[in-house]
Coordinates of all heavy atoms in Angstrom, one line a residue:
G525 N -7.1 -8.8 -3.0 CA -6.1 -8.9 -2.0 C -5.0 -7.9 -2.2 O -4.2 -7.7 -1.3
D526 N -4.8 -7.3 -3.4 CA -3.7 -6.4 -3.6 C -4.1 -4.9 -3.3 O -5.3 -4.6 -3.4 CB -3.3 -6.5 -5.1 CG -2.6 -7.8 -5.4 OD1 -2.1 -8.4 -4.5 OD2 -2.6 -8.2 -6.6
A527 N -3.1 -4.1 -3.0 CA -3.4 -2.7 -2.6 C -3.8 -2.0 -3.9 O -3.5 -2.3 -5.0 CB -2.1 -2.1 -2.1
A528 N -4.7 -1.0 -3.7 CA -5.2 -0.2 -4.8 C -5.2 1.3 -4.4 O -5.1 1.6 -3.2 CB -6.6 -0.6 -5.2
L529 N -5.3 2.2 -5.4 CA -5.3 3.6 -5.1 C -6.4 4.3 -5.9 O -6.7 3.9 -7.1 CB -4.0 4.2 -5.6 CG -3.7 5.7 -5.4 CD1 -3.7 6.0 -3.9 CD2 -2.5 6.1 -6.1
G530 N -7.1 5.2 -5.3 CA -8.0 6.1 -6.0 C -7.6 7.5 -5.8 O -7.3 7.9 -4.7
V531 N -7.7 8.3 -6.9 CA -7.3 9.7 -6.8 C -8.4 10.5 -7.4 O -8.8 10.4 -8.6 CB -6.0 10.0 -7.6 CG1 -5.6 11.5 -7.4 CG2 -4.8 9.1 -7.1
Y532 N -9.0 11.4 -6.6 CA -10.0 12.4 -7.1 C -9.3 13.7 -7.3 O -8.8 14.3 -6.4 CB -11.1 12.5 -6.1 CG -12.0 13.7 -6.2 CD1 -12.6 14.0 -7.5 CD2 -12.3 14.5 -5.1 CE1 -13.4 15.2 -7.6 CE2 -13.1 15.6 -5.3 CZ -13.6 15.9 -6.5 OH -14.4 17.0 -6.6
V533 N -9.3 14.2 -8.6 CA -8.7 15.4 -9.0 C -9.9 16.5 -9.1 O -10.7 16.3 -10.0 CB -7.9 15.3 -10.3 CG1 -7.3 16.7 -10.6 CG2 -6.9 14.2 -10.2
A534 N -9.8 17.5 -8.3 CA -10.9 18.5 -8.3 C -10.8 19.5 -9.4 O -9.7 19.9 -9.8 CB -11.0 19.2 -6.9
R535 N -11.9 19.9 -9.9 CA -12.0 21.0 -10.9 C -12.0 22.3 -10.1 O -12.1 22.3 -8.8 CB -13.2 20.9 -11.8 CG -13.3 19.7 -12.6 CD -14.6 19.6 -13.3 NE -15.7 19.3 -12.4 CZ -17.0 19.3 -12.7 NH1 -17.4 19.5 -13.9 NH2 -17.9 19.0 -11.7
S536 N -12.1 23.4 -10.8 CA -12.3 24.7 -10.1 C -13.7 25.0 -9.8 O -14.0 26.0 -9.2 CB -11.7 25.8 -11.0 OG -10.3 25.7 -11.1
R537 N -14.6 24.1 -10.3 CA -16.0 24.3 -10.1 C -16.4 24.3 -8.6 O -15.8 23.6 -7.8 CB -16.8 23.2 -10.8 CG -16.7 23.1 -12.3 CD -17.5 24.1 -13.0 NE -17.4 24.1 -14.4 CZ -18.1 23.3 -15.2 NH1 -19.0 22.5 -14.7 NH2 -17.9 23.3 -16.5
P538 N -17.4 25.1 -8.2 CA -17.7 25.2 -6.8 C -18.0 23.9 -6.1 O -17.6 23.6 -5.0 CB -19.0 26.1 -6.8 CG -18.8 26.9 -8.1 CD -18.2 26.0 -9.1
I539 N -18.7 23.0 -6.8 CA -19.1 21.7 -6.2 C -17.8 20.9 -5.9 O -17.7 20.3 -4.8 CB -20.0 20.9 -7.1 CG1 -20.4 19.5 -6.5 CG2 -19.4 20.6 -8.5 CD1 -21.2 19.6 -5.2
D540 N -16.8 20.9 -6.8 CA -15.5 20.2 -6.6 C -14.8 20.8 -5.4 O -14.2 20.1 -4.6 CB -14.7 20.2 -7.8 CG -15.3 19.3 -8.9 OD1 -16.3 19.6 -9.5 OD2 -14.7 18.3 -9.2
Q541 N -14.7 22.2 -5.4 CA -14.0 22.8 -4.4 C -14.6 22.7 -3.0 O -13.9 22.6 -2.0 CB -13.8 24.3 -4.7 CG -12.8 24.6 -5.9 CD -11.5 24.0 -5.6 OE1 -10.8 24.3 -4.6 NE2 -11.0 23.2 -6.5
F542 N -15.9 22.6 -3.0 CA -16.6 22.3 -1.7 C -16.2 20.9 -1.2 O -15.9 20.8 0.0 CB -18.1 22.4 -1.9 CG -18.9 22.1 -0.6 CD1 -19.2 23.1 0.3 CD2 -19.3 20.8 -0.3 CE1 -19.9 22.8 1.5 CE2 -19.9 20.5 0.9 CZ -20.2 21.5 1.8
L543 N -16.2 19.9 -2.1 CA -15.9 18.6 -1.6 C -14.4 18.4 -1.2 O -14.1 17.7 -0.3 CB -16.2 17.6 -2.8 CG -17.7 17.4 -3.1 CD1 -17.9 16.5 -4.3 CD2 -18.5 16.9 -1.9
I544 N -13.6 19.1 -1.9 CA -12.1 19.0 -1.7 C -11.8 19.6 -0.3 O -10.9 19.2 0.4 CB -11.3 19.5 -2.8 CG1 -9.9 18.8 -2.9 CG2 -11.1 21.0 -2.7 CD1 -10.0 17.5 -3.6
T545 N -12.5 20.7 0.0 CA -12.3 21.3 1.3 C -13.1 20.8 2.4 O -12.9 21.1 3.6 CB -12.5 22.9 1.2 OG1 -13.8 23.1 0.7 CG2 -11.5 23.5 0.2
N546 N -14.1 20.0 2.1 CA -15.0 19.4 3.1 C -15.1 17.9 2.8 O -16.2 17.3 2.5 CB -16.4 20.0 3.1 CG -16.4 21.5 3.4 OD1 -16.3 21.9 4.6 ND2 -16.3 22.3 2.4
P547 N -14.0 17.1 2.8 CA -14.1 15.7 2.4 C -15.0 14.9 3.3 O -15.5 13.9 2.8 CB -12.6 15.3 2.5 CG -11.9 16.2 3.4 CD -12.7 17.5 3.2
E548 N -15.1 15.3 4.6 CA -16.0 14.5 5.5 C -17.4 14.5 5.0 O -18.2 13.6 5.2 CB -15.9 15.0 6.9 CG -16.4 16.4 7.1 CD -15.5 17.5 6.7 OE1 -14.3 17.2 6.3 OE2 -15.9 18.7 6.7
Y549 N -17.8 15.6 4.2 CA -19.2 15.7 3.7 C -19.4 14.5 2.7 O -20.4 13.8 2.7 CB -19.4 17.0 3.0 CG -20.7 17.1 2.2 CD1 -21.8 17.6 2.9 CD2 -20.8 16.7 0.9 CE1 -23.0 17.7 2.2 CE2 -22.0 16.8 0.2 CZ -23.1 17.3 0.9 OH -24.3 17.4 0.2
F550 N -18.4 14.2 1.9 CA -18.5 13.2 0.9 C -18.5 11.8 1.6 O -19.4 10.9 1.3 CB -17.4 13.2 -0.1 CG -17.3 12.0 -1.0 CD1 -18.2 12.0 -2.1 CD2 -16.5 11.0 -0.8 CE1 -18.2 10.9 -3.0 CE2 -16.5 9.8 -1.6 CZ -17.3 9.8 -2.7
F551 N -17.5 11.6 2.5 CA -17.4 10.2 3.1 C -18.4 9.9 4.1 O -18.6 8.7 4.4 CB -16.0 10.1 3.7 CG -14.9 10.0 2.7 CD1 -14.0 11.1 2.4 CD2 -14.7 8.9 1.9 CE1 -13.0 11.1 1.5 CE2 -13.7 8.8 0.9 CZ -12.9 9.9 0.7
S552 N -19.2 10.9 4.5 CA -20.3 10.6 5.4 C -21.6 10.6 4.7 O -22.7 10.3 5.3 CB -20.4 11.7 6.5 OG -20.7 13.0 6.0
S553 N -21.6 10.8 3.4 CA -22.9 10.9 2.6 C -23.2 9.4 2.1 O -22.3 8.7 1.7 CB -22.7 11.8 1.4 OG -22.5 13.1 1.8
S554 N -24.5 9.1 2.2 CA -24.9 7.8 1.7 C -25.2 7.9 0.2 O -25.5 9.0 -0.3 CB -26.2 7.3 2.4 OG -27.3 8.2 2.1
P555 N -25.1 6.8 -0.5 CA -25.4 6.8 -1.9 C -26.9 7.3 -2.1 O -27.7 7.3 -1.2 CB -25.3 5.4 -2.4 CG -24.4 4.8 -1.4 CD -24.7 5.5 -0.1
E556 N -27.2 7.8 -3.3 CA -28.5 8.4 -3.6 C -29.5 7.3 -3.7 O -29.3 6.1 -4.0 CB -28.4 9.1 -5.0 CG -27.5 10.4 -5.0 CD -26.0 10.1 -5.0 OE1 -25.6 8.9 -5.3 OE2 -25.2 11.0 -4.7
H557 N -30.8 7.7 -3.4 CA -31.9 6.9 -3.6 C -32.3 6.8 -5.1 O -32.1 7.7 -5.9 CB -33.2 7.4 -2.9 CG -33.1 7.3 -1.4 ND1 -32.3 8.0 -0.6 CD2 -33.8 6.4 -0.6 CE1 -32.5 7.6 0.7 NE2 -33.4 6.7 0.7
A558 N -32.8 5.6 -5.5 CA -33.3 5.4 -6.8 C -34.8 5.6 -6.7 O -35.5 4.9 -5.9 CB -33.0 4.0 -7.4
R559 N -35.4 6.5 -7.5 CA -36.8 6.8 -7.5 C -37.5 6.5 -8.8 O -36.9 6.9 -9.9 CB -37.1 8.2 -7.1 CG -36.5 8.6 -5.7 CD -36.9 10.0 -5.3 NE -36.3 10.4 -4.0 CZ -35.1 11.0 -3.9 NH1 -34.4 11.3 -5.0 NH2 -34.7 11.3 -2.7
I560 N -38.7 5.9 -8.8 CA -39.4 5.7 -10.0 C -40.9 6.0 -9.7 O -41.3 5.9 -8.5 CB -39.3 4.3 -10.6 CG1 -39.7 3.2 -9.6 CG2 -37.8 4.1 -11.1 CD1 -39.7 1.9 -10.1
N561 N -41.7 6.3 -10.7 CA -43.1 6.4 -10.6 C -43.8 5.7 -11.8 O -44.1 6.4 -12.8 CB -43.5 7.9 -10.5 CG -45.0 8.1 -10.4 OD1 -45.8 7.1 -10.1 ND2 -45.5 9.3 -10.7
P562 N -44.0 4.4 -11.7 CA -44.5 3.7 -12.9 C -45.9 4.1 -13.2 O -46.4 3.8 -14.4 CB -44.4 2.2 -12.5 CG -44.4 2.3 -11.0 CD -43.7 3.5 -10.6
D563 N -46.6 4.7 -12.3 CA -48.0 5.1 -12.6 C -48.2 6.6 -13.1 O -49.3 7.1 -13.1 CB -48.9 4.9 -11.3 CG -49.0 3.4 -11.0 OD1 -48.8 2.6 -11.9 OD2 -49.2 3.1 -9.8
N564 N -47.0 7.2 -13.5 CA -47.1 8.4 -14.2 C -48.1 8.2 -15.4 O -47.9 7.3 -16.1 CB -45.7 8.8 -14.7 CG -45.7 10.0 -15.6 OD1 -46.2 9.9 -16.7 ND2 -45.1 11.1 -15.1
L565 N -49.0 9.1 -15.5 CA -50.2 8.8 -16.3 C -49.8 8.7 -17.8 O -50.2 7.7 -18.5 CB -51.2 9.9 -16.2 CG -52.6 9.6 -16.8 CD1 -53.2 8.3 -16.1 CD2 -53.5 10.8 -16.6
M566 N -48.9 9.5 -18.3 CA -48.5 9.4 -19.7 C -47.7 8.1 -20.0 O -47.9 7.5 -21.0 CB -47.7 10.6 -20.1 CG -48.5 11.9 -20.1 SD -47.6 13.3 -20.7 CE -47.6 13.0 -22.5
I567 N -46.8 7.8 -19.1 CA -46.0 6.5 -19.2 C -47.0 5.3 -19.1 O -46.9 4.4 -20.0 CB -44.9 6.5 -18.2 CG1 -43.9 7.6 -18.4 CG2 -44.3 5.1 -18.2 CD1 -42.8 7.7 -17.3
L568 N -47.9 5.4 -18.1 CA -48.8 4.3 -17.9 C -49.7 4.0 -19.1 O -49.8 2.9 -19.6 CB -49.6 4.6 -16.7 CG -50.7 3.5 -16.3 CD1 -50.0 2.2 -16.0 CD2 -51.5 4.0 -15.1
V569 N -50.2 5.1 -19.7 CA -51.2 4.9 -20.8 C -50.4 4.4 -22.0 O -50.9 3.6 -22.8 CB -51.9 6.3 -21.1 CG1 -52.6 6.2 -22.4 CG2 -52.8 6.6 -20.0
D570 N -49.2 4.9 -22.3 CA -48.4 4.4 -23.4 C -48.2 2.9 -23.3 O -48.3 2.2 -24.3 CB -47.0 5.1 -23.4 CG -47.0 6.4 -24.1 OD1 -48.0 6.7 -24.9 OD2 -46.1 7.3 -23.9

Side-chain angles (χ1 to χ4, degrees):
D526 293 336
L529 180 69
V531 184
Y532 161 49
V533 182
R535 299 172 293 175
S536 294
R537 298 278 181 89
I539 180 67
D540 290 68
Q541 288 304 304
F542 179 89
L543 293 175
I544 208 78
T545 54
N546 299 275
E548 65 283 351
Y549 175 89
F550 172 81
F551 289 107
S552 64
S553 297
S554 65
E556 293 76 14
H557 285 74
R559 300 186 182 92
I560 58 174
N561 178 18
D563 295 335
N564 172 291
L565 196 56
M566 294 187 71
I567 295 174
L568 178 62
V569 170
D570 276 341

